[in-house]
Amino acid sequence: MWLGALAGLMVWGTAAAGPAQPPPSPPPPSSLRPLAAFFGKPQINGLRLSPSGRYLASIQKRGSGQAVVVLDRRTGEQSVASFAPDHIGFDWIEWKSDDRLLLRTWLYEVRRANNKPDGQIIGFKYGRFVEAIDRDGRNLVVMFEKSPVAVQRTAPFLSFLDLLPGDPGHVLVTAPDARGYSSVWKVDVATGDGQLVEAGTASTVGWGVDGDGAVVERTELRDGAMSFQARDPAAGWAEVARAPQPGADELADFEILGPAPGAGQLYVAVRPANAADGDTRTVRIYDFNARSWSAPQWPALKYDI
């Protein structure tokens, strides 16, 4: 009886579906991308919307170089804010305001004997810089270029740390000080001048900033492990967590994701210390002032996040 009812349902379902439809035709060969396109350098990347949403900035390939191109989404007009030849490029762009762009650029130039393309290599120039420029390409400044304090303005780990949305004239940048240690600087986006906010050590590899733009965490690499530190009135900085340094293909047991809503608070992806609590990471809020954890903001799943 059940088999008969099931057969009836199957016949009804087939009838309701109607005649079988032929599979869609493959696209014509001329519309298929060549295999080399999947391995070539991107033509456009780094797309960023301005705070108002009116302007769209992107890094585009132009000949043998790159350009930062701004699209006015209201008028459809495009303009080039900055262009770099083949030995200079952009690896990061962001908006500080609708009128001001932030750029991170790199320089790699091989010097050859007699300036011949096939001449013997006699040296090279390498650098990384952070810059600010107007949307129309005017008023370019290289940050730290004229800074009165000692700072190395080019280094592999030079980067923007926080955009400071509540401060229209400044951003936080990580850059090595005169000793070569990763430190935090508050930089004027109009002049490029920077002032030291937090000095790092020889072991410093990262910093954490809360939603108010305050530096509340320092990460150091000690004895092959990651040491996460909070401010301490007596010691300056004190360790609050330690986790193994992850491998290239591993997720960290303790990873700072970004600022949480409260002062001194950061979102952290953390793997439970007790196996009874599971072995996958959850997202929690850690208060670096109170040294306390929130309940999971994202529940434990079957797989790591």
Side-chain angles (χ1 to χ4, degrees), residues 97-179:
S97 67
D98 267 29
D99 300 317
R100 197 77 169 150
L101 276 162
L102 306 172
L103 318 172
R104 189 172 69 180
T105 62
W106 55 262
L107 162 71
Y108 185 80
E109 185 175 8
V110 178
R111 298 176 60 193
R112 296 181 179 271
N114 300 318
N115 291 324
K116 293 183 177 180
D118 57 349
Q120 181 181 359
I121 296 176
I122 58 176
F124 66 93
K125 292 192 298 183
Y126 172 80
R128 175 167 283 172
F129 306 88
V130 286
E131 304 170 334
I133 193 171
D134 288 349
R135 187 184 71 246
D136 59 7
R138 298 179 182 178
N139 300 315
L140 171 68
V141 295
V142 178
M143 296 185 179
F144 304 115
E145 187 171 35
K146 300 177 181 179
S147 186
V149 292
V151 60
Q152 297 180 20
R153 65 187 181 93
T154 173
F157 52 86
L158 191 71
S159 62
F160 291 97
L161 178 62
D162 195 86
L163 296 178
L164 298 180
D167 184 342
H170 297 87
V171 292
L172 291 182
V173 174
T174 54
D177 58 17
R179 305 165 300 163

Side-chain angles (χ1 to χ4, degrees), residues 207-276:
W207 299 91
V209 179
D210 69 8
D212 295 329
V215 180
V216 298
E217 186 274 338
R218 184 174 74 179
T219 306
E220 293 194 341
L221 181 59
R222 294 183 175 181
D223 302 322
M226 308 299 291
S227 171
F228 300 92
Q229 304 168 3
R231 291 186 181 280
D232 184 271
W237 292 92
E239 183 175 289
V240 295
R242 178 174 286 236
Q245 184 180 14
D249 58 348
E250 295 178 326
L251 289 172
D253 290 350
F254 189 103
E255 181 183 359
I256 293 175
L257 304 178
Q265 297 181 348
L266 300 177
Y267 285 111
V268 177
V270 59
R271 192 186 309 277
N274 189 342

Side-chain angles (χ1 to χ4, degrees), residues 8 15 41 70 85 194 261 268 277:
K41 294 183 178 180
V70 176
V268 177
D277 297 327

Side-chain angles (χ1 to χ4, degrees), residues 1-9:
M1 174 177 163
W2 285 105
L3 287 176
L6 179 59
L9 287 173

